[in-house]
Amino acid sequence: MESGYNVPLYDSERIDDLLTHEMKIIQSHEVFCFSMDAVLLARFASAPKRGRILDFCTGNGAIPLIMTTRTPEATFEGIEIQERLYSMASRNVALNGLEGRITMYHGDVKEAVELFGHAKFDVITCNPPYMPATSGEKNISEHFAIARHEIMLSLEDVIRTASQLLKNGGKLAMVHRSTRLIEIISLMRQYGIEPKRMRLVYPRRDAEPNMVLIEGMRGGKPELRIAPPLIVYENGEEYCEELQEIYFGRRDSLA
């Protein structure tokens, strides 16, 4: 159907405000919409002025879209295995007039080396499935199951493939569940990516962390810098000042 913009919309799709730089994003309640996790990662990951940045499991393309506002000349690519989400991501690029900066690919992250070649990227970002394939409730739609569970892509797949695609000195930035932090660090080091920056995310001041933002460098030397904790909600259900600045465009980085 016609959207009133320069791209078509299909059944159940809508256009939402991405809450930064007047950008818009196509979403649907039938698939896994972007969440705060993607916003946090897009603001945490290194954003070099120039270079080539790849987003694994790009979904509807929220992370590359947001990251274009942080770096003036870098180019972005995204890879997504689900055809419907790939279609949404491609149309989101067109919706925001970013065809010259973002290219989307329909494919499997595990086959990305064959697609792109070795040592081609300066930064790789990933908001991967958080739960092992054997855990949690999977009596949900295929779209949600693939986004939440490691059915088609494991944490090791992500880190091994990133290590092959990154240039020496290139960076892998991820958002994940904090309960899997040790596994993340172990796999990064196993595949030659040294953890360099980390920030824990807490839903509230009196709660345990539920997310971790972490970035490692291909071939880097050991030195991990841990940023102050990010407390999402202050004073009940209000976002903390830092997040309000992120969402309302007064701040572009969580680094």
Side-chain angles (χ1 to χ4, degrees):
M1 78 179 175
E2 294 297 326
S3 66
Y5 292 88
N6 60 333
V7 296
L9 289 182
Y10 302 122
D11 288 348
S12 85
E13 292 183 349
R14 64 183 189 271
I15 294 180
D16 291 341
D17 191 340
L18 199 51
L19 296 176
T20 185
H21 293 70
E22 300 183 348
M23 299 177 83
K24 304 293 182 182
I25 188 164
I26 300 167
Q27 303 211 95
S28 168
H29 66 272
E30 293 181 351
V31 298
F32 205 72
C33 296
F34 87 95
S35 64
M36 179 186 291
D37 307 25
V39 176
L40 296 183
L41 179 59
R43 299 302 186 186
F44 173 81
S46 290
K49 182 178 179 181
R50 299 180 183 86
R52 194 175 174 191
I53 300 171
L54 173 64
D55 186 40
F56 285 173
C57 313
T58 200
N60 61 0
I63 290 171
L65 289 172
I66 295 170
M67 287 191 72
T68 61
T69 69
R70 297 183 53 212
T71 171
E73 298 177 37
T75 59
F76 294 83
E77 287 149 272
I79 184 167
E80 171 56 48
I81 197 167
Q82 296 194 62
E83 185 172 3
R84 183 169 180 186
L85 285 169
Y86 160 73
S87 169
M88 292 169 72
S90 298
R91 285 179 285 132
N92 280 326
V93 173
L95 177 64
N96 290 283
L98 289 167
E99 297 94 331
R101 295 197 64 194
I102 305 176
T103 304
M104 293 296 175
Y105 295 88
H106 180 214
D108 189 337
V109 167
K110 297 191 298 293
E111 299 172 0
V113 178
E114 287 78 6
L115 177 63
F116 298 113
H118 285 81
K120 298 296 184 182
F121 292 94
D122 299 282
V123 177
I124 292 174
T125 55
C126 188
N127 179 10
Y130 287 167
M131 292 180 277
T134 55
S135 73
E137 175 57 59
K138 293 196 288 295
N139 187 24
I140 51 178
S141 77
E142 179 185 15
H143 298 293
F144 281 78
I146 291 171
R148 291 174 175 171
H149 297 265
E150 295 178 338
I151 296 168
M152 305 188 79
L153 185 73
S154 70
L155 178 59
E156 184 167 4
D157 291 332
V158 168
I159 295 173
R160 181 185 62 250
T161 305
S163 74
Q164 297 172 313
L165 290 169
L166 284 170
K167 299 175 182 177
N168 196 48
K171 296 172 181 177
L172 168 64
M174 299 174 60
V175 59
H176 216 296
R177 288 198 169 180
S178 54
T179 51
R180 299 189 70 181
L181 177 57
I182 297 303
E183 186 180 358
I184 293 166
I185 290 174
S186 296
L187 285 167
M188 279 186 167
R189 296 190 111 183
Q190 178 181 333
Y191 288 102
I193 299 173
E194 186 63 31
K196 302 293 285 185
R197 294 194 299 127
M198 187 179 84
R199 191 169 190 186
L200 288 167
V201 181
Y202 296 73
R204 291 175 175 78
R205 194 169 296 279
D206 59 353
E208 293 184 353
N210 60 354
M211 282 192 288
V212 62
L213 297 158
I214 188 166
E215 184 175 83
M217 178 184 290
R218 181 80 169 92
K221 295 180 180 180
E223 182 183 38
L224 176 62
R225 295 183 178 272
I226 302 174
L230 176 62
I231 314 297
V232 173
Y233 293 107
E234 300 275 13
N235 303 318
E237 296 300 317
E238 290 184 9
Y239 282 153
C240 68
E241 182 177 352
E242 188 174 1
L243 280 181
Q244 290 189 42
E245 291 176 353
I246 286 291
Y247 273 104
F248 295 107
R250 297 187 297 272
R251 183 189 184 107
D252 72 0
S253 174
L254 283 173

